[in-house]
Amino acid sequence: MAYPGYGGAFGNFSGQMPGMQMQMGQPVPGTGPNLLRGGYPAYSDSYSSAGDPMWTYFTAIAGQDGEVDAEELQKCLTQSGINGTYSPFSLETCRIMIAMLDRDYTGKMGFNEFKELWAALNAWKQNFITIDQDQSGTVEHHELNQAIAAMGYRLSPQTLTAIVKRYSKNGRIFFDDYVACCVKLRALTDFFRRRDHLQQGVVNFVYDDFLQGTMAI
């Protein structure tokens, strides 16, 4: 299965610098109902606060500035219980959650972004629960590979190995790190997609642009 708007049919990443060129493989046919030409996911920004039950909750957390920073998001998600029996999200995971949707680079999240994140978290959580059948709070290497494929990403074995190595602890992946992995995959994919104007899976990066985009996540 694939979650609309949160996966993408992407292949191998390779590149060199400066004048960096990165290339991706062909999209997986039929991955998700909301894929654009070239296999990219269609993101939705059509949220409204009018009559929304989450609006009151959001404003109570956001405070006077009307936006949520990483510390406020961490508190909000912990109190909401969205992590269930799993450990609370770390502050670093909350930072990259915000970076994923921080399109105006304020380091904070507005209501539309908050709802978009909430939908993504619920999809990722359901995926993790499906994989974590023994409810241990962790998944193994091959299970993370299956989860990434289920979200519609098409990655090389070498890339999958690098991801597992980055997000595993003693050979297992905890829920917090799983979410961090999902967030980074989506954020980096979106960063790439915005620059792939022809949607052919090939982008030429200026080195400074590459650093700004990746270091912000």
Side-chain angles (χ1 to χ4, degrees), residues 6 73 77 83 86-101 117 120-121 124-125 128 137 139 144 147-148 151 153 162-164 166-169 173-189 214 216-217:
Y6 302 109
L73 179 62
L77 295 177
N83 50 311
Y86 303 120
S87 300
F89 298 113
S90 68
L91 189 58
E92 180 60 23
T93 298
C94 290
R95 288 193 183 106
I96 65 171
M97 285 183 195
I98 289 178
M100 176 181 72
L101 298 168
L117 173 63
L121 279 174
W124 291 329
K125 181 180 178 181
F128 190 87
V139 297
L144 179 64
I148 290 173
M151 288 185 283
Y153 293 97
I163 290 172
V164 167
R166 167 65 178 82
Y167 290 99
S168 63
K169 296 174 182 175
I173 297 93
F174 289 78
F175 182 58
D176 179 89
D177 292 317
Y178 171 80
V179 170
C181 174
C182 291
V183 170
K184 200 151 193 176
L185 267 175
R186 172 173 167 173
L188 288 174
T189 297
T214 56
I217 299 169

Side-chain angles (χ1 to χ4, degrees), residues 37-57:
R37 183 171 60 87
Y40 291 117
Y43 295 99
S44 173
D45 297 314
S46 57
Y47 294 117
S48 172
S49 61
D52 196 309
M54 291 188 69
W55 174 247
T56 302
Y57 183 55

Side-chain angles (χ1 to χ4, degrees), residues 11 17 35 39 52 79 88 92 96 113 118 137 148 163 165 177 192 206:
M17 64 176 192
L35 294 181
D52 196 309
Q79 291 179 346
E92 180 60 23
I96 65 171
E113 292 79 18
W118 191 266
I148 290 173
I163 290 172
K165 184 177 180 181
D177 292 317
F192 191 103
V206 176

Side-chain angles (χ1 to χ4, degrees), residues 6-176:
Y6 302 109
F10 304 110
N12 305 336
F13 287 75
S14 62
Q16 56 188 6
M17 64 176 192
M20 188 172 295
Q21 183 184 74
M22 302 179 75
Q23 184 170 359
M24 300 188 297
Q26 295 300 314
V28 178
T31 304
N34 293 333
L35 294 181
L36 304 174
R37 183 171 60 87
Y40 291 117
Y43 295 99
S44 173
D45 297 314
S46 57
Y47 294 117
S48 172
S49 61
D52 196 309
M54 291 188 69
W55 174 247
T56 302
Y57 183 55
F58 173 81
T59 53
I61 298 163
Q64 294 184 347
D65 63 359
E67 293 189 311
V68 170
D69 61 21
E71 289 80 4
E72 291 167 333
L73 179 62
Q74 183 185 42
K75 181 179 179 181
C76 161
L77 295 177
T78 300
Q79 291 179 346
S80 73
I82 193 170
N83 50 311
T85 58
Y86 303 120
S87 300
F89 298 113
S90 68
L91 189 58
E92 180 60 23
T93 298
C94 290
R95 288 193 183 106
I96 65 171
M97 285 183 195
I98 289 178
M100 176 181 72
L101 298 168
D102 187 16
R103 300 181 180 104
D104 55 0
Y105 302 104
T106 63
K108 296 183 178 182
M109 180 179 293
F111 181 59
N112 288 353
E113 292 79 18
F114 179 76
K115 289 202 66 176
E116 192 173 347
L117 173 63
W118 191 266
L121 279 174
N122 274 292
W124 291 329
K125 181 180 178 181
Q126 290 306 312
N127 199 9
F128 190 87
I129 289 173
T130 301
I131 300 167
D132 182 24
Q133 295 183 351
D134 61 358
Q135 298 182 340
S136 66
T138 64
V139 297
E140 296 180 357
H141 293 191
H142 70 280
E143 293 172 326
L144 179 64
N145 293 350
Q146 292 170 5
I148 290 173
M151 288 185 283
Y153 293 97
R154 182 179 176 181
L155 306 178
S156 71
Q158 293 84 359
T159 301
L160 288 168
T161 298
I163 290 172
V164 167
K165 184 177 180 181
R166 167 65 178 82
Y167 290 99
S168 63
K169 296 174 182 175
N170 297 321
R172 302 188 69 83
I173 297 93
F174 289 78
F175 182 58
D176 179 89

